[in-house]
Amino acid sequence: MRPTPDLCDQYPHLVRVLEPMMTNYGGRKQFSGAIVTVKCFEDNSCVKQLVSTAGQGRVLVVDGGGSRRRACLGDMLAAEASRNGWSGVVIYGCIRDVDEIAATDIGVQALAVHPMKTEKKNIGEIDIPVTFGGVTFSPGDFLYADNNGVIVSSEALE
């Protein structure tokens, strides 16, 4: 994958740029793929469900409502996502187990860290457009992420 600044330079009219808010936590600092979305709030049941499926190089985008009170992703789910071929996870919310996630071959970007896990209430929506940070993420769009930021396009750029 080419760096996001290069993609922005080459395709300025095709990319949407997420406001600078994410920190890169995963072992893979650069990742990309077709988007699968989850909308949930302090309940990662849908995240757990999806990372147990074949990722096929896709990126899971989780709209956790920006919560900084619970972690939507921990080391076990990150490891499962990596084993199942997910390219990365972008979370509008928190993660935990950052040292273990940093050693896992998956891209992970999130707002912050929090040690408390979510409750499992099986509440959430999968494969719907979600919006945060000035960008709408639609299932099937393409996401590119690195230490420079996160960008989204309706079509594959590489």
Side-chain angles (χ1 to χ4, degrees):
M1 179 187 119
R2 292 180 33 223
T4 56
D6 291 354
L7 294 172
C8 287
D9 290 350
Q10 186 168 356
Y11 305 104
H13 301 297
L14 296 179
V15 299
R16 303 181 303 274
V17 180
L18 183 67
E19 293 172 6
M21 60 174 62
M22 297 292 173
T23 299
N24 218 344
Y25 294 103
R28 194 181 292 175
K29 297 301 179 194
Q30 197 175 42
F31 60 97
S32 63
I35 293 173
V36 176
T37 62
V38 170
K39 186 175 180 79
C40 58
F41 186 75
E42 298 181 2
D43 178 345
N44 71 347
S45 303
C46 292
V47 174
K48 182 176 179 167
Q49 173 189 336
L50 284 169
V51 300
S52 69
T53 66
Q56 302 170 320
R58 295 175 295 172
V59 176
L60 183 59
V61 175
V62 181
D63 180 353
S67 173
R68 293 175 182 256
R69 300 184 307 193
R70 302 282 179 150
C72 287
L73 184 78
D75 61 339
M76 293 189 305
L77 293 184
E80 187 167 8
S82 176
R83 280 191 305 274
N84 287 325
W86 289 86
S87 175
V89 183
V90 173
I91 299 180
Y92 184 52
C94 292
I95 67 164
R96 66 187 203 161
D97 303 314
V98 294
D99 296 330
E100 293 84 354
I101 289 174
T104 303
D105 184 25
I106 190 163
V108 176
Q109 291 206 14
L111 291 178
V113 297
H114 196 287
M116 184 67 71
K117 68 180 180 179
T118 68
E119 296 181 30
K120 303 282 191 295
K121 299 178 183 175
N122 294 315
I123 299 171
E125 297 174 90
I126 295 172
D127 274 339
I128 63 164
V130 297
T131 302
F132 57 87
V135 172
T136 297
F137 301 82
S138 295
D141 281 356
F142 294 87
L143 183 143
Y144 303 86
D146 60 18
N147 284 325
N148 295 293
V150 175
I151 63 174
V152 177
S153 175
S154 299
E155 56 190 76
L157 302 178
E158 315 186 278

